[in-house]
Coordinates of all heavy atoms in Angstrom, one line a residue:
A1 N 0.8 -1.2 0.0 CA 0.0 0.0 0.0 C 0.9 1.2 0.0 O 2.0 1.2 0.5 CB -0.9 0.0 1.2
V2 N 0.4 2.3 -0.6 CA 1.0 3.6 -0.6 C 0.2 4.5 0.2 O -1.0 4.7 0.0 CB 1.2 4.1 -2.1 CG1 1.8 5.5 -2.1 CG2 2.0 3.2 -2.9
I3 N 0.8 5.1 1.3 CA 0.1 6.0 2.2 C 0.7 7.4 2.0 O 1.9 7.6 2.0 CB 0.3 5.6 3.6 CG1 0.0 4.1 3.9 CG2 -0.4 6.5 4.6 CD1 -1.5 3.8 3.7
Q4 N -0.2 8.4 1.8 CA 0.2 9.8 1.7 C -0.7 10.6 2.6 O -1.8 10.3 2.9 CB 0.0 10.3 0.3 CG 0.9 9.6 -0.7 CD 0.7 10.2 -2.1 OE1 -0.4 10.2 -2.6 NE2 1.8 10.5 -2.8
H5 N -0.1 11.8 3.1 CA -0.9 12.6 4.0 C -0.7 14.1 3.6 O 0.3 14.4 3.1 CB -0.7 12.4 5.5 CG 0.8 12.8 5.9 ND1 1.1 14.0 6.2 CD2 1.9 12.0 6.0 CE1 2.4 14.1 6.5 NE2 2.9 12.8 6.4
S6 N -1.7 14.9 3.9 CA -1.7 16.3 3.5 C -0.9 17.0 4.6 O -0.7 16.5 5.7 CB -3.1 16.9 3.4 OG -3.7 16.9 4.7
E7 N -0.6 18.2 4.3 CA -0.1 19.2 5.3 C -1.3 19.6 6.2 O -2.5 19.4 5.7 CB 0.5 20.4 4.7 CG 1.8 20.2 3.9 CD 2.9 19.7 4.8 OE1 3.0 20.3 5.9 OE2 3.6 18.8 4.4
P8 N -1.1 20.0 7.4 CA -2.3 20.4 8.2 C -3.0 21.6 7.6 O -2.3 22.5 7.1 CB -1.7 20.7 9.6 CG -0.3 21.0 9.3 CD 0.1 20.2 8.1
I9 N -4.3 21.6 7.6 CA -5.1 22.7 7.2 C -5.8 23.3 8.4 O -6.6 22.6 9.1 CB -6.2 22.3 6.1 CG1 -5.5 21.7 4.9 CG2 -7.1 23.5 5.8 CD1 -6.4 21.0 4.0
N10 N -5.5 24.5 8.7 CA -6.1 25.2 9.9 C -7.4 25.8 9.4 O -7.5 26.4 8.4 CB -5.2 26.3 10.4 CG -3.9 25.7 11.0 OD1 -4.0 24.8 11.9 ND2 -2.8 26.2 10.6
L11 N -8.4 25.6 10.3 CA -9.7 26.2 10.0 C -10.4 26.6 11.2 O -9.9 26.3 12.3 CB -10.6 25.2 9.2 CG -10.8 23.8 9.8 CD1 -12.3 23.4 9.7 CD2 -10.0 22.8 9.0
Q12 N -11.6 27.2 11.1 CA -12.4 27.6 12.3 C -13.7 26.9 12.2 O -14.3 26.8 11.1 CB -12.6 29.1 12.2 CG -11.4 30.0 12.3 CD -11.0 30.2 13.8 OE1 -11.8 30.4 14.6 NE2 -9.7 30.1 14.0
I13 N -14.2 26.4 13.3 CA -15.5 25.9 13.4 C -16.3 26.7 14.5 O -16.0 26.6 15.6 CB -15.5 24.4 13.8 CG1 -14.8 23.6 12.7 CG2 -16.9 23.8 14.0 CD1 -14.6 22.1 12.9
N14 N -17.2 27.5 14.0 CA -17.9 28.4 14.9 C -17.0 29.2 15.7 O -17.2 29.3 16.9 CB -18.9 27.7 15.7 CG -20.1 27.1 14.9 OD1 -20.1 25.9 14.7 ND2 -21.0 27.9 14.5
G15 N -15.9 29.7 15.1 CA -15.0 30.5 15.9 C -13.9 29.8 16.7 O -13.0 30.4 17.2
A16 N -14.0 28.5 16.8 CA -13.0 27.7 17.5 C -12.0 27.2 16.5 O -12.3 26.7 15.4 CB -13.7 26.5 18.2
P17 N -10.7 27.2 16.9 CA -9.7 26.7 16.0 C -9.8 25.2 15.8 O -10.2 24.4 16.8 CB -8.4 27.0 16.8 CG -8.8 27.2 18.2 CD -10.2 27.6 18.2
A18 N -9.5 24.7 14.6 CA -9.5 23.3 14.3 C -8.4 23.0 13.3 O -7.9 24.0 12.7 CB -10.9 22.9 13.7
V19 N -8.1 21.8 13.1 CA -7.1 21.4 12.1 C -7.6 20.1 11.4 O -8.2 19.3 12.0 CB -5.7 21.1 12.8 CG1 -5.7 20.0 13.8 CG2 -4.6 21.0 11.7
R20 N -7.3 20.1 10.1 CA -7.7 19.0 9.3 C -6.5 18.4 8.6 O -5.6 19.1 8.1 CB -8.7 19.5 8.3 CG -9.2 18.4 7.3 CD -10.1 19.0 6.2 NE -10.5 18.1 5.2 CZ -11.4 18.3 4.3 NH1 -12.0 19.5 4.2 NH2 -11.7 17.4 3.4
Y21 N -6.5 17.0 8.5 CA -5.5 16.3 7.8 C -6.3 15.3 6.9 O -7.4 14.8 7.2 CB -4.6 15.4 8.7 CG -3.6 16.2 9.5 CD1 -3.9 16.6 10.7 CD2 -2.3 16.4 8.9 CE1 -2.9 17.3 11.5 CE2 -1.4 17.1 9.7 CZ -1.7 17.5 10.9 OH -0.8 18.2 11.7
T22 N -5.7 15.1 5.7 CA -6.3 14.0 4.8 C -5.2 13.0 4.6 O -4.1 13.3 4.2 CB -6.7 14.6 3.4 OG1 -7.7 15.6 3.7 CG2 -7.3 13.6 2.5
V23 N -5.6 11.8 4.8 CA -4.6 10.6 4.5 C -5.3 9.8 3.4 O -6.5 9.5 3.5 CB -4.4 9.8 5.8 CG1 -3.5 8.6 5.5 CG2 -3.9 10.6 6.9
T24 N -4.5 9.5 2.4 CA -4.9 8.6 1.3 C -4.1 7.3 1.3 O -2.9 7.4 1.5 CB -4.9 9.3 0.0 OG1 -3.6 9.7 -0.3 CG2 -5.9 10.5 -0.1
A25 N -4.7 6.2 1.0 CA -4.0 5.0 0.8 C -4.4 4.4 -0.5 O -5.6 4.3 -0.9 CB -4.4 4.0 1.9
S26 N -3.5 4.0 -1.3 CA -3.7 3.4 -2.6 C -3.0 2.0 -2.7 O -2.2 1.7 -1.9 CB -3.3 4.3 -3.7 OG -1.9 4.6 -3.6
N27 N -3.3 1.3 -3.8 CA -2.7 0.0 -3.9 C -3.0 -0.9 -2.7 O -2.1 -1.7 -2.3 CB -1.2 0.0 -4.2 CG -0.9 0.8 -5.5 OD1 -1.6 0.7 -6.5 ND2 0.2 1.5 -5.5
L28 N -4.2 -0.8 -2.2 CA -4.5 -1.6 -1.0 C -4.7 -3.1 -1.4 O -5.2 -3.4 -2.5 CB -5.8 -1.1 -0.4 CG -5.8 0.3 0.2 CD1 -7.2 0.7 0.6 CD2 -4.8 0.4 1.3
L29 N -4.4 -4.0 -0.5 CA -4.6 -5.4 -0.7 C -6.1 -5.6 -0.8 O -6.8 -5.2 0.1 CB -4.0 -6.2 0.4 CG -4.2 -7.7 0.4 CD1 -3.5 -8.3 -0.8 CD2 -3.7 -8.3 1.7
Q30 N -6.5 -6.3 -1.8 CA -7.9 -6.6 -2.0 C -8.1 -8.1 -1.8 O -8.1 -8.9 -2.7 CB -8.4 -6.2 -3.4 CG -8.4 -4.7 -3.6 CD -8.8 -4.3 -4.9 OE1 -8.0 -4.2 -5.8 NE2 -10.1 -4.0 -5.1
E31 N -8.4 -8.4 -0.5 CA -8.6 -9.8 -0.1 C -9.9 -10.4 -0.7 O -10.0 -11.5 -1.0 CB -8.6 -9.9 1.4 CG -8.6 -11.4 1.9 CD -8.4 -11.4 3.4 OE1 -7.9 -10.5 4.0 OE2 -8.7 -12.5 3.9
Y32 N -10.9 -9.5 -0.8 CA -12.2 -9.9 -1.3 C -12.6 -8.9 -2.4 O -12.1 -7.8 -2.5 CB -13.3 -9.8 -0.2 CG -13.0 -10.7 1.0 CD1 -12.4 -10.1 2.2 CD2 -13.2 -12.0 0.9 CE1 -12.1 -11.0 3.2 CE2 -12.9 -12.9 2.0 CZ -12.3 -12.3 3.2 OH -12.0 -13.1 4.2
D33 N -13.5 -9.3 -3.3 CA -13.9 -8.5 -4.4 C -14.5 -7.2 -4.0 O -14.4 -6.2 -4.8 CB -14.9 -9.3 -5.3 CG -14.3 -10.5 -6.0 OD1 -13.1 -10.5 -6.2 OD2 -15.1 -11.4 -6.4
C34 N -15.1 -7.1 -2.8 CA -15.7 -5.9 -2.4 C -14.7 -4.9 -1.7 O -15.1 -3.8 -1.4 CB -16.9 -6.2 -1.5 SG -16.4 -7.1 0.0
D35 N -13.5 -5.3 -1.5 CA -12.5 -4.4 -0.9 C -12.1 -3.4 -1.9 O -11.8 -3.6 -3.0 CB -11.2 -5.2 -0.5 CG -11.5 -6.2 0.7 OD1 -12.5 -6.0 1.4 OD2 -10.7 -7.1 0.8
P36 N -12.0 -2.1 -1.4 CA -11.6 -1.0 -2.3 C -10.1 -1.0 -2.6 O -9.3 -1.4 -1.8 CB -12.0 0.3 -1.5 CG -11.9 -0.2 -0.1 CD -12.3 -1.6 -0.1
P37 N -9.7 -0.6 -3.8 CA -8.3 -0.5 -4.1 C -7.6 0.7 -3.5 O -6.4 0.8 -3.4 CB -8.3 -0.4 -5.7 CG -9.6 0.3 -6.0 CD -10.6 -0.2 -5.0
A38 N -8.5 1.7 -3.0 CA -7.9 2.9 -2.4 C -9.0 3.4 -1.4 O -10.1 3.1 -1.5 CB -7.6 3.9 -3.5
A39 N -8.5 4.3 -0.5 CA -9.4 4.9 0.5 C -8.8 6.2 1.0 O -7.6 6.4 0.8 CB -9.6 3.9 1.7
S40 N -9.6 7.0 1.6 CA -9.1 8.2 2.2 C -9.8 8.4 3.6 O -10.9 7.8 3.8 CB -9.4 9.4 1.3 OG -10.8 9.7 1.3
I41 N -9.1 9.1 4.4 CA -9.7 9.4 5.7 C -9.3 10.9 6.0 O -8.2 11.3 5.9 CB -9.2 8.5 6.9 CG1 -9.9 8.8 8.2 CG2 -7.7 8.5 7.0 CD1 -9.8 7.7 9.2
D42 N -10.3 11.6 6.3 CA -10.2 13.0 6.7 C -10.4 13.1 8.2 O -11.4 12.6 8.7 CB -11.1 13.9 5.9 CG -10.7 14.1 4.5 OD1 -10.9 13.1 3.7 OD2 -10.2 15.1 4.1
I43 N -9.4 13.7 8.8 CA -9.5 13.8 10.3 C -9.5 15.3 10.7 O -8.7 16.1 10.2 CB -8.2 13.2 10.9 CG1 -8.2 11.7 10.4 CG2 -8.3 13.3 12.4 CD1 -6.8 11.1 10.6
V44 N -10.5 15.7 11.5 CA -10.6 17.0 12.0 C -10.5 17.0 13.5 O -11.3 16.2 14.2 CB -11.9 17.7 11.6 CG1 -12.0 19.1 12.2 CG2 -11.9 17.8 10.0
A45 N -9.6 17.7 14.1 CA -9.5 17.9 15.6 C -9.8 19.3 15.9 O -9.4 20.2 15.3 CB -8.1 17.5 16.0
M46 N -10.6 19.4 17.0 CA -11.0 20.8 17.4 C -11.1 20.8 18.9 O -11.1 19.8 19.6 CB -12.3 21.2 16.8 CG -13.5 20.3 17.2 SD -15.1 20.9 16.5 CE -15.4 22.3 17.5
Q47 N -11.3 22.0 19.4 CA -11.5 22.2 20.9 C -12.7 21.4 21.3 O -13.8 21.5 20.7 CB -11.6 23.7 21.1 CG -11.6 24.1 22.5 CD -11.6 25.7 22.5 OE1 -11.8 26.3 21.5 NE2 -11.6 26.2 23.7
G48 N -12.6 20.7 22.4 CA -13.8 19.9 22.9 C -14.6 20.7 23.9 O -14.5 21.9 24.0
F49 N -15.6 20.1 24.4 CA -16.6 20.7 25.4 C -16.5 19.9 26.7 O -16.0 18.8 26.8 CB -18.0 20.5 24.8 CG -18.2 21.3 23.5 CD1 -18.2 20.6 22.3 CD2 -18.4 22.6 23.5 CE1 -18.4 21.3 21.1 CE2 -18.6 23.3 22.4 CZ -18.6 22.6 21.2
S50 N -17.0 20.6 27.7 CA -17.2 20.0 29.0 C -15.9 19.3 29.5 O -14.9 20.0 29.6 CB -18.3 18.9 28.9 OG -18.6 18.4 30.2
N51 N -15.9 18.0 29.7 CA -14.7 17.4 30.2 C -13.7 17.0 29.1 O -12.6 16.5 29.3 CB -15.1 16.2 31.0 CG -15.8 16.5 32.2 OD1 -15.7 17.6 32.8 ND2 -16.6 15.6 32.7
A52 N -14.1 17.1 27.8 CA -13.3 16.7 26.7 C -12.4 17.8 26.2 O -12.9 18.9 25.9 CB -14.2 16.2 25.5
T53 N -11.1 17.6 26.3 CA -10.2 18.7 25.8 C -10.2 18.8 24.3 O -10.1 19.9 23.8 CB -8.8 18.3 26.3 OG1 -8.8 18.1 27.7 CG2 -7.8 19.5 26.0
I54 N -10.3 17.7 23.6 CA -10.3 17.7 22.2 C -11.4 16.8 21.6 O -11.8 15.8 22.2 CB -9.0 17.1 21.7 CG1 -7.8 17.9 22.1 CG2 -8.9 17.0 20.1 CD1 -6.4 17.3 21.9
A55 N -12.0 17.2 20.5 CA -13.0 16.4 19.8 C -12.4 16.1 18.5 O -11.8 16.9 17.8 CB -14.3 17.2 19.6
V56 N -12.5 14.8 18.1 CA -11.9 14.4 16.8 C -13.0 13.7 16.0 O -13.8 12.9 16.4 CB -10.8 13.3 17.1 CG1 -10.2 12.8 15.7 CG2 -9.7 13.9 17.9
F57 N -13.1 14.2 14.7 CA -14.1 13.7 13.8 C -13.3 13.0 12.6 O -12.3 13.6 12.2 CB -15.0 14.8 13.3 CG -15.7 15.5 14.4 CD1 -15.2 16.6 15.0 CD2 -16.9 15.0 14.9 CE1 -15.8 17.2 16.1 CE2 -17.6 15.6 15.9 CZ -17.0 16.7 16.5
M58 N -13.8 11.9 12.0 CA -13.2 11.3 10.9 C -14.2 10.9 9.8 O -15.3 10.5 10.2 CB -12.5 10.0 11.4 CG -11.4 10.3 12.3 SD -10.6 8.7 12.8 CE -10.7 8.9 14.6
V59 N -13.8 11.1 8.6 CA -14.6 10.7 7.5 C -13.8 9.7 6.7 O -12.8 10.0 6.1 CB -15.0 11.9 6.6 CG1 -15.8 11.4 5.4 CG2 -15.8 12.9 7.3
L60 N -14.2 8.4 6.7 CA -13.5 7.4 6.0 C -14.3 7.1 4.7 O -15.5 6.9 4.7 CB -13.5 6.1 6.8 CG -12.9 4.8 6.2 CD1 -11.4 5.0 5.7 CD2 -13.0 3.6 7.1
A61 N -13.6 7.1 3.6 CA -14.3 6.9 2.3 C -13.5 6.0 1.4 O -12.3 6.2 1.2 CB -14.5 8.3 1.6
E62 N -14.2 5.1 0.8 CA -13.6 4.3 -0.3 C -13.3 5.1 -1.5 O -14.0 6.1 -1.7 CB -14.6 3.2 -0.7 CG -14.9 2.1 0.3 CD -15.8 1.1 -0.2 OE1 -16.3 1.2 -1.4 OE2 -16.1 0.1 0.6
Q63 N -12.3 4.8 -2.2 CA -11.9 5.5 -3.5 C -11.8 4.5 -4.6 O -11.5 3.3 -4.4 CB -10.6 6.3 -3.3 CG -10.6 7.3 -2.2 CD -11.6 8.4 -2.4 OE1 -11.7 9.0 -3.4 NE2 -12.4 8.7 -1.4
Q64 N -12.1 5.0 -5.8 CA -11.9 4.2 -7.0 C -12.9 3.0 -7.0 O -12.6 1.9 -7.5 CB -10.5 3.7 -7.2 CG -9.5 4.8 -7.2 CD -8.0 4.3 -7.3 OE1 -7.8 3.1 -7.3 NE2 -7.1 5.2 -7.2
T65 N -14.1 3.2 -6.5 CA -15.1 2.2 -6.6 C -16.4 2.9 -7.0 O -16.5 4.1 -7.0 CB -15.4 1.4 -5.3 OG1 -16.0 2.3 -4.4 CG2 -14.1 0.9 -4.7
D66 N -17.4 2.1 -7.3 CA -18.7 2.7 -7.7 C -19.4 3.2 -6.4 O -20.5 3.8 -6.5 CB -19.6 1.7 -8.5 CG -19.9 0.4 -7.8 OD1 -19.3 0.2 -6.7 OD2 -20.7 -0.4 -8.3
R67 N -18.9 2.9 -5.2 CA -19.5 3.3 -4.0 C -18.8 4.6 -3.5 O -19.1 5.1 -2.4 CB -19.4 2.2 -2.9 CG -20.1 0.9 -3.3 CD -19.9 -0.1 -2.2 NE -18.5 -0.5 -2.0 CZ -17.8 -1.4 -2.6 NH1 -18.4 -2.1 -3.6 NH2 -16.5 -1.7 -2.3
S68 N -17.8 5.1 -4.2 CA -17.0 6.2 -3.7 C -17.8 7.5 -3.6 O -18.7 7.7 -4.5 CB -15.8 6.5 -4.7 OG -15.0 5.3 -4.8
I69 N -17.5 8.3 -2.6 CA -18.1 9.6 -2.6 C -17.1 10.6 -3.0 O -15.9 10.3 -2.9 CB -18.7 10.0 -1.2 CG1 -17.6 9.9 -0.1 CG2 -19.8 9.1 -0.8 CD1 -18.1 10.4 1.2
S70 N -17.5 11.7 -3.6 CA -16.6 12.7 -4.1 C -15.8 13.5 -3.0 O -16.3 13.6 -1.9 CB -17.3 13.7 -5.0 OG -18.1 14.5 -4.2
R71 N -14.7 14.1 -3.4 CA -14.0 15.0 -2.5 C -14.9 16.1 -2.1 O -14.9 16.6 -0.9 CB -12.7 15.5 -3.1 CG -11.6 14.5 -3.4 CD -11.1 13.8 -2.2 NE -10.8 14.6 -1.0 CZ -10.6 14.1 0.2 NH1 -10.8 12.9 0.4 NH2 -10.4 14.9 1.2
G72 N -15.7 16.6 -3.0 CA -16.7 17.7 -2.7 C -17.7 17.3 -1.6 O -18.0 18.1 -0.7
T73 N -18.2 16.0 -1.6 CA -19.1 15.5 -0.6 C -18.4 15.4 0.7 O -18.9 15.8 1.8 CB -19.7 14.2 -1.0 OG1 -20.4 14.3 -2.2 CG2 -20.6 13.6 0.1
I74 N -17.1 15.0 0.7 CA -16.3 14.9 2.0 C -16.1 16.3 2.5 O -16.3 16.6 3.7 CB -15.0 14.2 1.7 CG1 -15.2 12.7 1.4 CG2 -14.1 14.3 2.9 CD1 -14.0 12.0 0.8
D75 N -15.8 17.3 1.6 CA -15.7 18.7 2.1 C -17.0 19.2 2.7 O -17.0 19.9 3.7 CB -15.2 19.6 0.9 CG -13.8 19.3 0.5 OD1 -13.0 18.7 1.2 OD2 -13.5 19.7 -0.7
D76 N -18.1 18.8 2.1 CA -19.4 19.3 2.6 C -19.7 18.7 4.0 O -20.2 19.3 4.9 CB -20.5 18.8 1.7 CG -20.6 19.6 0.4 OD1 -19.9 20.7 0.3 OD2 -21.3 19.2 -0.6
I77 N -19.3 17.4 4.2 CA -19.4 16.8 5.5 C -18.6 17.5 6.6 O -19.1 17.9 7.6 CB -19.1 15.3 5.5 CG1 -20.1 14.5 4.6 CG2 -19.0 14.7 6.9 CD1 -19.6 13.1 4.3
I78 N -17.3 17.8 6.2 CA -16.5 18.6 7.1 C -17.0 20.0 7.4 O -17.1 20.4 8.5 CB -15.0 18.6 6.6 CG1 -14.4 17.3 6.4 CG2 -14.2 19.5 7.5 CD1 -14.2 16.4 7.6
A79 N -17.5 20.6 6.4 CA -18.1 22.0 6.5 C -19.4 22.0 7.4 O -19.7 23.0 7.9 CB -18.4 22.6 5.1
S80 N -20.0 20.8 7.5 CA -21.2 20.8 8.3 C -21.0 20.7 9.8 O -21.9 20.8 10.6 CB -22.1 19.6 7.9 OG -21.6 18.4 8.3
L81 N -19.7 20.4 10.2 CA -19.4 20.4 11.6 C -19.6 21.7 12.3 O -19.3 22.8 11.7 CB -17.9 20.0 11.8 CG -17.5 18.6 11.3 CD1 -16.0 18.4 11.5 CD2 -18.2 17.5 12.1
C82 N -20.3 21.7 13.4 CA -20.5 22.9 14.1 C -20.6 22.6 15.6 O -20.9 21.5 16.0 CB -21.8 23.6 13.6 SG -23.3 22.7 13.9
R83 N -20.4 23.7 16.4 CA -20.5 23.6 17.8 C -21.9 23.8 18.2 O -22.6 24.7 17.6 CB -19.6 24.6 18.5 CG -18.1 24.3 18.2 CD -17.3 25.4 18.7 NE -17.4 25.5 20.2 CZ -16.4 25.6 21.0 NH1 -15.2 25.6 20.6 NH2 -16.6 25.6 22.3
T84 N -22.4 23.1 19.1 CA -23.8 23.3 19.6 C -23.7 24.3 20.7 O -22.8 24.3 21.5 CB -24.5 22.0 20.0 OG1 -23.7 21.4 21.1 CG2 -24.7 21.0 18.9
P85 N -24.7 25.1 20.9 CA -24.7 26.1 21.9 C -24.8 25.4 23.3 O -25.5 24.4 23.4 CB -26.0 27.0 21.7 CG -26.7 26.4 20.6 CD -25.9 25.3 20.0
G86 N -24.1 25.9 24.3 CA -24.2 25.3 25.6 C -25.5 25.7 26.3 O -26.3 26.5 25.8
D87 N -25.7 25.1 27.4 CA -26.9 25.4 28.2 C -26.9 26.7 28.8 O -26.0 27.2 29.3 CB -27.1 24.3 29.3 CG -27.4 23.0 28.7 OD1 -28.0 22.9 27.6 OD2 -27.1 22.0 29.4

């Protein structure tokens, strides 16, 4: 397998600092016909709430299959992250 990762991307989620990384894997071992030949995982870490210092969100997506979602859809999922108002 070939693993690559992006440089960190700094962003804001409702005014809170966050960081995003994208990791891609290609030439994956396909043990079964349904195994994808490639995949990506987008990881976003941000300031947590209450007792959690950090909150981490991940989007895992198959690549190069008919089940793949687009980078644009992954970006939309990341863009939908928001902090909920406290009590």
